[in-house]
């Protein structure tokens, strides 16, 4: 098969982790006889610096004509501490999600047996945790308008908006995933306070009877945040709105042991995007120390979700597992007393493993 992917490294550690994920993708394609074409695009702070647009038209066109997008991270501290700046790197990521119609962000949270000790939670709590957080990605507070400041600058506002249609499509998708898994769905909201959450719950209750095999539970987000670390193995599929999903999945990474391990797939109307859930970690940029595994696992999701290539995805996952078992780990997940590997060394180990497999 021939596939064409858009490669968007972005900012900070983005280029380093993407380089590893792309090498892994290349060697998998070689191994399975697929023809890989790829093209780089700019986005985020680097695109602002070059052409003052964090998601340039050219990048959008590249994404549209590709079969999948492999995305690194965006963000740069020089924008974070200046509230007067109008154009921000994160707007590029949001624009990409919106324009590609990527309404669903799928974030699996699992554990690795040899990293159980890396979680600050007790091993018996996290062992066997395996759930999937489905985050709505193109609505809610991150997109609602109006957003801004009063004229005197002393009042700021964001708007949380959801339509029945937006909720229906994401909740339906979550039920479909639950059907393929352990048939349990947790609908996370704040229906005791928010109008949008009440609509979420109303719509979810209408859809639930169509999936009688799925056990549905409704949970307030504050409670879900607690339960996720108190009893992570109790979850199978969670579905929630944009900001709650953003927050809960960072929390979820604590179960796995490092932010550097959680991949994601964003799917919807046009080309799907595969990206790690972590950010651009600017302090580490260029140091060759960032964990590339979240991005490598995102590439595995790309083979699986975008191309339907299960064996290819499985091989990447087994390479990742093997690297962790062999202690070929970056500093964030390295066992005590062992030496930490660099980003690129982990990459070399993975490609070597896949080549020989
Ligand atoms: C994520 C990130 C982004 C988000 C930021 C960088 C805009 O935190 O993918 O979770 O909030 O969606
Ligand atoms: Mn986030």
């Amino acid at each position: 098969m021939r596939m064409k992917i858009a490669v968007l490294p972005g900012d900070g550690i983005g280029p380093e982790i993407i380089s590893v994920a792309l090498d892994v993708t290349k060697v998998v394609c070689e191994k399975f006889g697929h023809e890989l074409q790829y093209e780089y695009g700019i986005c985020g702070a680097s695109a602002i610096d070059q052409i003052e647009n964090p998601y340039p038209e050219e990048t959008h066109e590249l994404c549209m004509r590709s079969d999948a997008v492999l995305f690194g991270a965006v963000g740069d501290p020089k924008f974070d501490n200046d509230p007067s700046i109008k154009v921000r790197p994160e707007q590029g990521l949001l624009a990409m999600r919106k324009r590609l119609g990527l309404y669903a962000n799928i974030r699996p949270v699992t554990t690795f047996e040899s990293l159980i000790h890396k979680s600050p939670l007790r091993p018996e709590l996290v062992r066997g945790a395996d759930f999937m957080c489905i985050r709505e990605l193109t609505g809610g507070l991150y997109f609602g308008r109006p957003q801004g400041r009063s004229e005197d600058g002393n009042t700021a506002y964001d708007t949380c908006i959801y339509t029945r249609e937006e909720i229906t499509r994401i909740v339906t998708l979550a039920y479909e995933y639950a059907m393929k898994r352990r048939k349990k769905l947790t609908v996370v909201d704040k229906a005791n306070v928010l109008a949008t959450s009440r609509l979420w719950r109303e719509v979810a209750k209408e859809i639930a009877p169509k999936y009688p095999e799925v056990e549905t539970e409704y949970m307030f987000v504050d409670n879900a945040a607690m339960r996720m670390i108190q009893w992570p193995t109790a979850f199978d599929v969670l579905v929630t709105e944009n900001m709650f999903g953003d927050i809960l999945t960072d929390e979820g990474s604590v179960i796995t042991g490092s932010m550097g391990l959680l991949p994601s797939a964003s799917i919807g109307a046009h080309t799907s995007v595969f990206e790690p859930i972590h950010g651009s970690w600017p302090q580490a940029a260029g140091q060759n120390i960032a964990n590339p595994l979240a991005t490598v696992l995102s590439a595995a999701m790309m083979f699986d979700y975008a191309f339907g290539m299960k064996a290819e995805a499985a091989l990447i996952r087994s390479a990742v597992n093997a690297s962790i078992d062999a202690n070929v780990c970056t500093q964030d997940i390295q066992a005590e007393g062992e030496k930490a590997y660099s980003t690129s060394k982990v990459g070399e180990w993975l490609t070597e493993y896949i080549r020989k497999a």
Side-chain angles (χ1 to χ4, degrees):
M1 185 171 152
R2 179 199 282 170
M3 54 252 237
K4 189 171 171 354
I5 66 173
V7 181
L8 311 187
D11 310 319
I13 56 169
E16 298 156 57
I17 54 176
I18 280 289
S19 155
V20 171
L22 186 58
D23 285 346
V24 166
T25 303
K26 283 182 198 162
V27 60
V28 167
C29 285
E30 263 165 45
K31 181 138 197 138
F32 286 84
H34 304 307
E35 189 191 326
L36 175 71
Q37 293 177 354
Y38 60 92
E39 205 178 311
Y40 286 95
I42 57 168
C43 63
S46 37
I48 298 178
D49 291 343
Q50 286 176 51
I51 64 164
E52 284 165 28
N53 181 351
Y55 184 56
E57 212 38 53
E58 219 178 281
T59 301
H60 179 62
E61 280 158 22
L62 167 64
C63 293
M64 288 296 285
R65 63 172 186 270
S66 301
D67 302 316
V69 178
L70 198 53
F71 188 93
V74 293
D76 189 307
K78 75 181 176 204
F79 297 90
D80 293 340
N81 299 320
D82 182 356
S84 70
I85 287 180
K86 292 265 162 348
V87 187
R88 304 178 167 277
E90 290 78 6
Q91 287 165 351
L93 179 54
L94 297 186
M96 178 179 75
R97 290 168 175 171
K98 193 71 169 182
R99 293 190 64 191
L100 294 176
L102 306 174
Y103 64 85
N105 184 219
I106 298 163
R107 298 186 161 184
V109 177
T110 52
T111 54
F112 298 87
E113 186 52 39
S114 42
L115 290 181
I116 293 285
H117 64 280
K118 275 284 154 188
S119 172
L121 304 175
R122 288 201 306 276
E124 67 269 27
L125 287 181
V126 294
R127 184 168 284 126
D130 173 10
F131 61 87
M132 181 175 257
C133 196
I134 300 186
R135 165 187 176 191
E136 201 289 329
L137 202 59
T138 50
L141 270 174
Y142 295 7
F143 290 94
R145 294 294 180 265
Q147 177 188 62
R149 287 277 188 114
S150 62
E151 232 156 83
D152 67 6
N154 293 330
T155 307
Y157 44 88
D158 297 285
T159 307
C160 189
I161 298 190
Y162 271 107
T163 64
R164 178 173 285 279
E165 192 201 348
E166 286 171 317
I167 302 166
T168 302
R169 69 182 174 186
I170 190 88
V171 172
T172 304
L173 184 107
Y175 270 110
E176 292 296 330
Y177 276 94
M179 284 298 287
K180 289 189 225 146
R181 293 176 49 102
R182 300 191 305 274
K183 299 194 170 65
K184 181 170 176 193
L185 179 68
T186 307
V187 179
V188 176
D189 62 35
K190 187 72 186 171
N192 51 346
V193 177
L194 300 174
T196 42
S197 280
R198 283 192 281 276
L199 183 59
W200 268 77
R201 199 170 278 215
E202 186 183 308
V203 171
K205 288 207 158 147
E206 285 164 16
I207 299 171
K210 294 188 191 142
Y211 296 90
E213 284 171 60
V214 178
E215 179 201 338
T216 308
E217 88 186 326
Y218 300 89
M219 200 179 278
F220 296 140
V221 63
D222 42 358
N223 187 27
M226 181 191 70
R227 293 282 288 269
M228 188 175 280
I229 47 174
Q230 194 184 40
W231 194 15
T233 54
F235 292 109
D236 179 18
V237 178
L238 286 95
V239 65
T240 192
E241 65 100 57
N242 202 343
M243 186 174 70
F244 295 162
D246 188 16
I247 297 170
L248 286 176
T249 49
D250 267 33
E251 187 190 359
S253 74
V254 171
I255 296 162
T256 311
S258 168
M259 277 282 270
L261 290 169
L262 261 62
S264 86
S266 301
I267 61 174
H270 302 292
T271 319
S272 301
V273 173
F274 300 88
E275 54 166 318
I277 81 148
H278 60 70
S280 59
W281 197 16
Q283 301 79 0
Q287 291 186 41
N288 202 18
I289 58 169
N291 191 341
L293 295 184
T295 319
V296 170
L297 290 167
S298 301
M301 290 186 88
M302 173 176 78
F303 278 99
D304 193 351
Y305 288 66
F307 307 130
M309 297 176 178
K310 303 267 180 229
E312 289 81 340
L315 178 57
I316 297 177
R317 288 191 192 108
S318 62
V320 166
N321 282 323
S323 73
I324 294 172
D325 287 343
N327 255 322
V328 179
C329 295
T330 45
Q331 38 128 49
D332 54 319
I333 54 169
Q334 189 51 279
E336 241 150 81
E338 296 281 340
K339 92 172 179 28
Y341 281 70
S342 66
T343 311
S344 53
K345 281 279 181 247
V346 172
E348 282 161 29
W349 196 96
L350 293 170
T351 49
E352 213 30 53
Y353 179 96
I354 292 168
R355 211 169 268 132
K356 288 193 197 136

